[in-house]
Amino acid sequence: METASSQPEPAPTPAAAAQPAVRVRLDISYDGTDFIGWARQPGLRTVQGVLEESLSKVFREPIQLTVAGRTDAGVHAEGQVAHFDTTAEFDGDKLVHRMARFLPKDVRIRAARVAPPEFDARFSAIRRHYVYRLTTAPYGADPLNARSVVPCRPGVDLEAMRTASRSLLGLHDFAAFCRRREGATTVRELQRFDWEREGDSLIAFVSADAFCWSMVRSLVGAVLAVGEGRRTAEWIAGLLAETERSSAVTVAPAHGLSLVAVDYPADADLAARNAETREMRVVPDRGCCGGD
């Protein structure tokens, strides 16, 4: 006869079982003016720090975000994407409404939803889209837009800027336009770089598979020098032969730049994209794969 102590332990009930983790995708916008960039820094106000602090209070567990693009100080976002994992109960619509009360007015979670386990906001991304906003108005930026629009000289040569921008399209080593990070490649595929004018507004559209540190603002600053007659389109194309950051390239002010969208593949292709992104980019032989 079995004693009570020899009987097998009862199986845990479903209520006692651990809640499986879910991966959550966030779509985020923010005014970067009063942030020291995206990335968390001790003692400094950053987008990541503000979001993680508020999310951790709501979920009652530490939340750590992975982001599509780590924007610099002063850079804005209208279509930033991040993800995190949680074992807490999750309702996307309720989270969006609740975070609207928790967060300061210069950052918002626009959407929240469950994503596949393979989704990675950084490594799954196919391309990032930025815009840079300028004004040629003689009085400068309108006060309501002054935090996101940069004044430039009236009468810039838009066609010269478009020609210079096209010469940079394609897969290249953009070392001349990037602040180098130890162990990081500066090879990127620039997929779109063009300009539109509407009245006094001048907008650059810049898209690539990824961007290195300060690359977009350096591209805009270099092409703007062509539009203002200080440089030539040939000078721009010649920068692609440089192997180090060029001191001749002026970095455009941060507040004109905004991350507007991030593209991702279909769910079935996420794992393959993650593996591909982690591979080091290698530039093809010079001259085989240039821009348009």
Side-chain angles (χ1 to χ4, degrees):
M1 183 175 181
E2 290 183 338
T3 63
S5 60
S6 65
Q7 293 178 355
E9 290 291 327
T13 63
Q19 179 79 12
V22 296
R23 177 149 295 187
V24 176
R25 168 179 167 162
L26 302 178
D27 293 272
I28 304 164
S29 63
Y30 48 87
D31 177 343
T33 305
D34 297 324
F35 289 105
I36 309 298
W38 166 270
R40 185 191 323 105
Q41 300 182 55
L44 297 175
R45 187 174 189 262
T46 68
V47 183
Q48 182 180 14
V50 166
L51 283 168
E52 288 181 346
E53 180 180 2
S54 295
L55 287 166
S56 297
K57 290 178 180 177
V58 168
F59 284 93
R60 299 182 180 180
E61 64 181 13
I63 298 297
Q64 184 170 344
L65 297 173
T66 297
V67 73
R70 297 174 59 174
T71 51
D72 291 337
V75 176
H76 314 295
E78 299 156 58
Q80 180 70 277
V81 179
H83 82 258
F84 67 93
D85 296 328
T86 181
T87 57
E89 183 179 348
F90 171 75
D91 183 305
D93 291 337
K94 288 182 180 178
L95 179 64
V96 169
H97 288 294
R98 191 170 186 188
M99 294 303 291
R101 298 193 301 271
F102 261 79
L103 290 170
K105 63 182 180 181
D106 51 359
V107 58
R108 282 290 177 267
I109 293 176
R110 300 173 62 179
R113 59 185 183 273
V114 173
E118 297 82 11
F119 176 80
D120 187 294
R122 178 186 176 191
F123 288 111
S124 299
I126 299 173
R127 66 186 62 83
R128 285 93 170 159
H129 304 276
Y130 283 86
V131 300
Y132 195 94
R133 297 181 172 96
L134 297 153
T135 179
T136 58
Y139 53 81
D142 186 275
L144 292 178
N145 300 320
R147 291 162 70 101
S148 60
V149 176
V150 174
C152 67
R153 296 180 189 176
V156 293
D157 188 338
L158 184 58
E159 288 309 312
M161 294 166 66
R162 286 172 170 161
T163 298
S165 298
R166 285 195 295 268
S167 71
L168 298 173
L169 293 174
L171 182 65
H172 303 288
D173 187 341
F174 286 92
F177 300 91
C178 297
R179 295 179 184 175
R180 186 173 293 277
R181 293 183 186 271
E182 188 66 30
T185 179
T186 51
V187 174
R188 297 291 188 270
E189 184 184 3
L190 187 61
Q191 300 168 351
R192 182 186 183 189
F193 190 10
D194 58 19
W195 297 80
E196 291 184 5
R197 189 204 300 271
E198 183 175 341
D200 294 326
S201 296
L202 192 61
I203 304 176
F205 296 87
V206 191
S207 302
D209 57 343
F211 293 94
C212 47
W213 190 13
S214 85
M215 179 176 163
V216 181
R217 291 192 289 136
S218 296
L219 290 169
V220 170
V223 170
L224 188 58
V226 175
E228 293 177 341
R230 295 180 285 114
R231 296 286 185 177
T232 65
E234 291 74 20
W235 170 77
I236 286 277
L239 290 170
L240 294 176
E242 301 288 334
T243 58
E244 299 290 339
R245 177 169 177 77
S246 173
S247 60
V249 173
T250 300
V251 180
H255 69 277
L257 184 62
S258 183
L259 173 61
V260 296
V262 184
D263 295 341
Y264 293 96
D267 291 351
D269 299 324
L270 289 169
R273 177 59 184 174
N274 295 344
E276 179 184 357
T277 304
R278 285 183 167 91
E279 295 178 0
M280 292 289 286
R281 296 176 178 85
V282 179
V283 70
D285 291 340
R286 297 284 181 182
C288 81
C289 301
D292 292 343

